[in-house]
């Protein structure tokens, strides 16, 4: 991983260094993924920490090398939202208290201007720990689960090195942006055309060179560019499609919500050409994985 790959061409602080006017009194809109983690909004208090295999850890010091001095903010649309570095830092601190302890993931979360992936009317809520609507009955995932899934994917035998990763369910493009800071190449598939286009326009001002967006049915994966060191599903199926398992490298890790009403996060690791192991982690709540395109 080169240093270059970790950074956006645009300084991120240039798009978020606005005055902090976030209205903390506004609570989240209830959407599918809010179910388990909304209580965490009270950022001043420690929240109950969901523990998984990686165990507890104090909040790590975030690598600040990603934040660069402000350059130009003028050409970045929607930068007038009521957000500051401080509010995003509070979000990251909260995610750390909830049990995410991979400093690289926390740094990526701190670097990506989440409010730029929201419609302007919701951007004041961008840093609360909730999923929020992005249209077409879909949601932007809550910060905790985005961080947690990436942390699990990175906990590999290669010390967290990820060359090529695949995301199923681009949505508004937020998680793809976070992934772009932890992997060399990010491929992301969305089945709803207007959301695929929304992600494109959300990501454009950030000029992230290592993301490739695809419109299509993610259940089929991307055999033309496989294999992937990591695959993340941002939508829940009753099972993980075999096509995706086949597109993992040996040693590769896939993280997916599985289930319908009751969902759990599942980690699947490919151990050989014909073998995979599966581990069930914590409960979660995602929008459904659906076949085909619309
Ligand atoms: N990654 C997003 C989350 C989007 S919500 C974020 O950063 O917040 C999940 C997305 O998965 C929805 O946009 C939904 O349309 C999409 N989805 C569901 N089934 C899919 C499939 N088979 N292929 C691709 N995308 C799918």
């Amino acid at each position: 991983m080169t240093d270059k790959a970790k950074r956006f061409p645009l300084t991120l602080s240039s798009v978020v260094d606005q005055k902090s006017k976030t209205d903390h009194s506004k609570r989240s809109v209830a959407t599918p993924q809010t179910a388990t983690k909304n209580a965490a909004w009270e950022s001043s208090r420690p929240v109950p920490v969901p523990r998984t295999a990686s165990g507890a850890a104090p909040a790590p010091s975030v690598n600040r090398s990603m934040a660069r001095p402000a350059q130009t903010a003028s050409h970045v649309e929607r930068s007038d939202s009521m957000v500051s570095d401080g509010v995003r830092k509070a979000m990251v601190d909260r995610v750390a208290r909830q049990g995410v302890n991979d400093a690289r993931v926390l740094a990526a979360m701190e670097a990506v201007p989440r409010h730029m992936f929201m419609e302007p009317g919701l951007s004041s809520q961008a840093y609360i720990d909730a999923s929020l609507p992005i249209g077409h009955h879909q949601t932007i995932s809550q910060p905790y689960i985005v961080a947690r899934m990436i942390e699990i994917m990175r906990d590999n035998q290669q010390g967290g090195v990820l060359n090529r990763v695949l995301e199923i369910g681009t949505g508004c493009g937020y998680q793809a942006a976070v992934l772009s800071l932890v992997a060399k190449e990010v491929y992301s598939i969305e089945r709803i055309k207007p959301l695929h286009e929304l992600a494109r326009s959300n990501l454009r001002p950030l000029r992230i060179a290592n993301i490739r967006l695809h419109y299509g049915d993610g259940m089929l994966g991307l055999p033309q560019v496989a294999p992937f060191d990591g695959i993340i599903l941002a939508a829940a199926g009753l099972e993980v499609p075999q096509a995706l398992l086949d597109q993992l490298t040996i040693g590769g890790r896939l993280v997916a919500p599985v289930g319908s009403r009751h969902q759990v996060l599942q980690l699947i690791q490919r151990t050989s050409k014909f073998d995979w192991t599966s581990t069930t982690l914590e409960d979660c709540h995602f929008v459904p994985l659906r076949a085909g395109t619309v």
Side-chain angles (χ1 to χ4, degrees):
M1 171 76 65
T2 62
D3 242 11
K4 197 164 164 247
K6 297 178 205 163
R7 296 172 184 210
F8 301 147
L10 248 195
T11 164
L12 289 164
S13 52
S14 76
V15 296
V16 296
D17 261 344
Q18 305 300 315
K19 284 197 183 70
S20 176
K21 296 181 201 159
T22 303
D23 183 355
H24 287 195
S25 67
K26 279 188 191 152
R27 299 301 299 255
S28 65
V29 176
T31 55
Q33 291 167 44
T34 59
T36 52
K37 305 286 174 348
N38 274 355
W41 171 230
E42 309 304 333
S43 61
S44 55
R45 285 193 280 124
V47 294
V49 174
R51 291 287 170 236
T52 60
S54 61
S61 59
V62 170
N63 170 13
R64 302 202 168 271
S65 65
M66 283 182 180
R68 288 184 288 167
Q71 293 165 356
T72 60
S74 58
H75 60 299
V76 178
E77 293 169 300
R78 295 158 69 176
S79 63
D80 58 340
S81 56
M82 299 173 288
V83 183
S84 71
D85 284 351
V87 180
R88 196 161 57 255
K89 175 74 168 71
M91 176 193 84
V92 172
D93 288 346
R94 199 169 56 235
V95 166
R97 282 200 302 277
Q98 288 172 284
V100 174
N101 53 40
D102 182 330
R104 180 79 183 269
V105 175
L106 294 168
M109 296 286 287
E110 193 167 342
V112 175
R114 185 171 160 90
H115 64 283
M116 289 182 68
F117 295 84
M118 310 275 188
E119 55 181 83
L122 283 174
S123 61
S124 69
Q125 298 187 59
Y127 295 102
I128 67 173
D129 193 36
S131 57
L132 292 164
I134 54 173
H136 305 272
H137 307 290
Q138 307 302 321
T139 55
I140 179 172
S141 300
Q142 63 182 125
Y144 165 78
I145 203 74
V146 168
R148 184 73 190 117
M149 291 175 97
I150 299 174
E151 175 178 66
I152 293 164
M153 182 175 70
R154 260 175 54 78
D155 192 17
N156 61 15
Q157 299 289 319
Q158 286 69 48
V161 171
L162 295 165
N163 287 315
R164 189 167 286 181
V165 301
L166 175 65
E167 177 193 33
I168 311 302
T170 317
C172 60
Y174 172 70
Q175 186 161 25
V178 179
L179 283 169
S180 77
L181 295 172
V182 306
K184 275 197 183 125
E185 295 173 24
V186 178
Y187 291 82
S188 183
I189 313 176
E190 174 56 54
R191 67 181 287 273
I192 300 177
K193 190 75 180 272
L195 288 180
H196 166 73
E197 282 159 3
L198 174 70
R200 245 189 220 310
S201 68
N202 285 342
L203 289 165
R204 191 170 299 121
L206 297 173
R207 295 196 225 139
I208 304 173
N210 61 334
I211 298 181
R212 300 279 174 273
L213 299 182
H214 287 254
Y215 167 60
D217 181 357
M219 291 170 81
L220 308 174
L222 280 180
Q224 64 274 31
V225 284
F228 299 96
D229 297 326
I231 300 180
I232 283 182
L233 279 79
L238 294 179
E239 56 184 20
V240 175
Q242 183 64 39
L244 297 180
L245 300 181
D246 290 338
Q247 290 174 33
L248 274 177
T249 55
I250 293 170
R253 293 160 75 87
L254 177 149
V255 187
V258 176
S260 54
R261 283 176 74 88
H262 176 235
Q263 299 173 8
V264 289
L265 216 50
Q266 224 169 59
L267 163 65
I268 298 177
Q269 299 174 82
R270 187 169 196 175
T271 52
S272 75
K273 192 162 195 281
F274 301 109
D275 297 293
W276 293 261
T277 60
S278 168
T279 313
T280 296
L281 306 167
E282 65 219 57
D283 287 359
C284 57
H285 197 178
F286 280 80
V287 295
L289 184 70
R290 298 198 192 284
T293 54
V294 288

